[in-house]
Amino acid sequence: MSDTWAPVSFERTNGKTPLIVVCEHASKEIPPEFSELGLKSQHRASHAVWDIGALSMAREISAALDAPLVFGGVSRLLYDCNRPPEAHDCIPEKSEVVNVPGNVGLDPAYRKARALLIHDPFHKAVEGLIDAQMQRLGCPIAVVTIHTFTPIYHGKPREVELGFLFDENEELSRAACRLEEKRGVYRAALNQPYAAADGVTYTLLRHADDRGLPSTMVEVRNDLVDTHDKASCVGKHLAETILQSVNEILPTREIAV
Amino acid sequence: MSDTWAPVSFERTNGKTPLIVVCEHASKEIPPEFSELGLKSQHRASHAVWDIGALSMAREISAALDAPLVFGGVSRLLYDCNRPPEAHDCIPEKSEVVNVPGNVGLDPAYRKARALLIHDPFHKAVEGLIDAQMQRLGCPIAVVTIHTFTPIYHGKPREVELGFLFDENEELSRAACRLEEKRGVYRAALNQPYAAADGVTYTLLRHADDRGLPSTMVEVRNDLVDTHDKASCVGKHLAETILQSVNEILPTREIAV
């Protein structure tokens, strides 16, 4: 029955590593009751709808590190799970150059309904997974979120290939970025191509910073991960960086995989 | 990727009817990290694991009445979403005659983790769907849960075919049972083969009775619904009874389908 949809999914919830992987923009699914949000067909699989390659990378990292994964089940255009319900762009009427007719002039009750059906179960599940992982391991854990960005934004090419973003807790992002610079494979930078000031750190703040847990938001340029094989390759690379940087930050729980 | 699992799924979230359909025991899925819970193969698809036929009926009712549906994504043996986390049998070590080795002697942290991953997102989603439906329609709604039971329990055959169960709010169950008696197709009874005293009304209490919403828990003997076609047939029959009884209870919002 293809009419079924899930706001959130898990993998590997018994993973042995003090770390969880989160992928808010994993899915391009738009359930039938939302009538494709009126999108033009050429935009239906675009970056506006999801983070191309992000779920494939997140799965690779989760598998390589034996870390639990939690990911969103529907398009960010329905509800952007990396935004709080009070943010106007949690249900965008336009995303870069893509108009989203199904989101224009929505009744407040319909906006609220989207948050209740998508945001609330998703974040309850992220919270549950973090609590479950700490319960089972008896120690603090790190939170790593996986995103991708477009190589060209409003006509301007982006040179950066990997970004490590932070809000109140910079430690893990700095460790990961230092390691990437040392490895010299990709052009990495802190807080690129976005930063906390762009309102993109809701998940980090809510689930990590506010709880005193180390975290980083990883952003990968999507031309590097636009096939499954490319995404697996970058995912494996990132797993190594995440492993080493988490071991630096949470040294009492050295991860051996 | 078959390693993926969802604690909760939706269908038809924009349904026009002041009613939601809930199916807690819809799925026999046991994700790979739970190693089949050590079940013997002959029990893997039995009533211990899920409510045979319940999801097919629930879908039929949801479609016939244009009512939203919310259902659980994993076996009740992992976590029984119709039980509160404080109930010992929310993670049963034995179900009727079926031993569940993967649930025996669980560490409290592992029990807690199951509730965090399954119970919490499921009930957040049910709550969200009820709120969303009332927000969109601007009126109270009814909550109907769909279950099935075995024809023989501990060696004793059960004569009843349909049960309508209630806890604090009997109105909808009484109306539905009266209609079934009038229609004369199935042997229907109130609070059979279980009742509130058996601890089976958690969903009703939490999401309906405690909020002043009418509700009923429908129980169908599973030999009547053990194929998709049989379940569809009983589902269509029940949709009619539910439609009429909800119209009796919430007369200001007459449903026309």
Side-chain angles (χ1 to χ4, degrees):
Chain A
M1 281 269 208
S2 62
D3 291 357
T4 292
W5 59 278
V8 62
S9 291
F10 292 121
E11 289 184 13
R12 211 169 276 105
T13 59
N14 65 347
K16 299 295 183 293
T17 292
L19 163 73
I20 71 153
V21 181
V22 183
C23 193
E24 299 98 322
H25 304 149
S27 174
K28 60 179 188 289
E29 173 94 1
I30 299 177
E33 60 258 49
F34 298 100
S35 309
E36 304 276 302
L37 291 174
L39 287 175
K40 290 189 178 158
S41 61
Q42 69 264 37
H43 297 143
R44 189 58 191 81
S46 71
H47 175 75
V49 178
W50 66 324
D51 275 357
I52 293 161
L55 180 59
S56 295
M57 276 194 294
R59 281 180 162 147
E60 205 62 54
I61 295 164
S62 162
L65 302 185
D66 192 23
L69 166 65
V70 55
F71 61 96
V74 292
S75 169
R76 72 165 125 223
L77 293 182
L78 281 169
Y79 186 93
D80 185 334
C81 281
N82 196 26
R83 300 288 185 281
E86 58 273 20
H88 184 69
D89 63 349
C90 69
I91 301 172
E93 298 188 354
K94 188 173 182 175
S95 172
E96 198 192 351
V97 296
V98 175
N99 291 311
V100 190
N103 288 348
V104 175
L106 276 188
D107 193 289
Y110 277 79
R111 287 181 63 89
K112 177 82 176 149
R114 294 259 192 99
L116 288 163
L117 295 171
I118 302 168
H119 168 279
D120 289 10
F122 178 83
H123 285 285
K124 179 56 85 177
V126 174
E127 193 181 300
L129 183 60
I130 291 170
D131 288 337
Q133 190 70 351
M134 295 203 295
Q135 283 265 348
R136 288 193 304 107
L137 303 186
C139 66
I141 67 165
V143 176
V144 175
T145 73
I146 304 296
H147 292 257
T148 63
F149 60 94
T150 51
I152 294 168
Y153 188 68
H154 282 301
K156 263 180 78 176
R158 284 158 161 167
E159 292 301 319
V160 66
E161 292 176 315
L162 293 188
F164 295 96
L165 282 59
F166 59 80
D167 196 309
E168 292 174 2
N169 188 336
E170 63 191 24
E171 211 180 3
L172 186 57
S173 295
R174 288 197 183 278
C177 200
R178 267 197 309 273
L179 277 164
E180 281 298 335
E181 282 164 8
K182 202 184 287 178
R183 295 177 75 184
V185 181
Y186 299 106
R187 277 188 296 277
L190 284 173
N191 297 319
Q192 290 292 334
Y194 319 108
D198 300 306
V200 298
T201 49
Y202 174 59
T203 298
L204 293 191
L205 279 170
R206 173 168 174 170
H207 296 291
D209 297 5
D210 287 356
R211 306 180 63 170
L213 300 177
S215 69
T216 187
M217 175 176 175
V218 184
E219 282 278 5
V220 179
R221 210 176 63 199
N222 74 20
D223 56 327
L224 300 173
V225 294
D226 55 7
T227 68
H228 181 72
D229 287 351
K230 286 162 83 179
S232 289
C233 177
V234 179
K236 283 191 180 74
H237 173 94
L238 282 172
E240 185 60 34
T241 293
I242 292 165
L243 171 68
Q244 288 189 37
S245 49
V246 171
N247 275 338
E248 222 180 292
I249 302 307
L250 293 173
T252 53
R253 294 286 301 191
E254 184 90 8
I255 315 169
V257 286
Chain B
M1 284 272 208
S2 63
D3 291 356
T4 293
W5 59 277
V8 62
S9 292
F10 293 122
E11 287 183 15
R12 210 168 277 104
T13 59
N14 65 346
K16 300 294 183 292
T17 291
L19 164 72
I20 70 154
V21 181
V22 184
C23 191
E24 298 98 321
H25 303 150
S27 175
K28 59 178 188 292
E29 173 94 3
I30 299 177
E33 61 258 48
F34 298 100
S35 310
E36 303 276 303
L37 291 173
L39 288 174
K40 290 189 177 157
S41 60
Q42 69 264 36
H43 296 142
R44 189 57 191 81
S46 71
H47 175 75
V49 179
W50 67 323
D51 274 358
I52 293 161
L55 180 59
S56 295
M57 276 194 293
R59 282 182 161 145
E60 205 62 52
I61 295 164
S62 163
L65 302 184
D66 191 22
L69 166 66
V70 56
F71 61 96
V74 292
S75 168
R76 73 165 123 223
L77 292 182
L78 281 170
Y79 186 94
D80 185 335
C81 281
N82 196 26
R83 300 289 184 282
E86 59 272 20
H88 184 70
D89 64 349
C90 69
I91 301 173
E93 299 188 353
K94 188 173 183 175
S95 172
E96 197 191 351
V97 297
V98 175
N99 290 312
V100 191
N103 288 349
V104 175
L106 276 188
D107 192 290
Y110 277 78
R111 287 180 64 89
K112 176 80 176 150
R114 293 259 191 99
L116 288 163
L117 295 171
I118 301 169
H119 168 279
D120 289 10
F122 179 83
H123 285 285
K124 179 57 83 176
V126 174
E127 193 183 301
L129 184 61
I130 291 171
D131 287 336
Q133 191 70 350
M134 295 204 294
Q135 281 266 349
R136 288 193 303 108
L137 304 185
C139 66
I141 67 166
V143 176
V144 176
T145 74
I146 304 296
H147 292 256
T148 63
F149 61 93
T150 51
I152 295 169
Y153 188 70
H154 283 300
K156 263 180 79 176
R158 284 159 161 167
E159 292 300 317
V160 66
E161 293 176 315
L162 293 188
F164 295 95
L165 282 58
F166 59 82
D167 196 310
E168 293 173 0
N169 187 336
E170 63 192 25
E171 209 180 5
L172 186 58
S173 296
R174 288 197 183 279
C177 199
R178 267 197 310 273
L179 276 163
E180 281 298 333
E181 282 163 9
K182 201 184 292 178
R183 294 177 76 185
V185 181
Y186 299 106
R187 279 188 295 277
L190 285 172
N191 297 319
Q192 289 295 332
Y194 319 106
D198 300 306
V200 298
T201 49
Y202 174 58
T203 298
L204 293 190
L205 279 170
R206 173 170 174 168
H207 295 292
D209 296 6
D210 286 355
R211 306 181 61 170
L213 301 177
S215 69
T216 186
M217 176 175 174
V218 183
E219 282 278 5
V220 179
R221 210 176 63 199
N222 73 21
D223 56 325
L224 300 172
V225 293
D226 54 7
T227 68
H228 181 72
D229 287 352
K230 287 163 83 179
S232 288
C233 175
V234 179
K236 282 190 180 75
H237 172 95
L238 282 172
E240 185 60 33
T241 293
I242 293 166
L243 171 68
Q244 288 188 41
S245 49
V246 172
N247 276 337
E248 222 180 292
I249 303 307
L250 294 173
T252 53
R253 296 282 305 188
E254 184 89 9
I255 313 170
V257 285

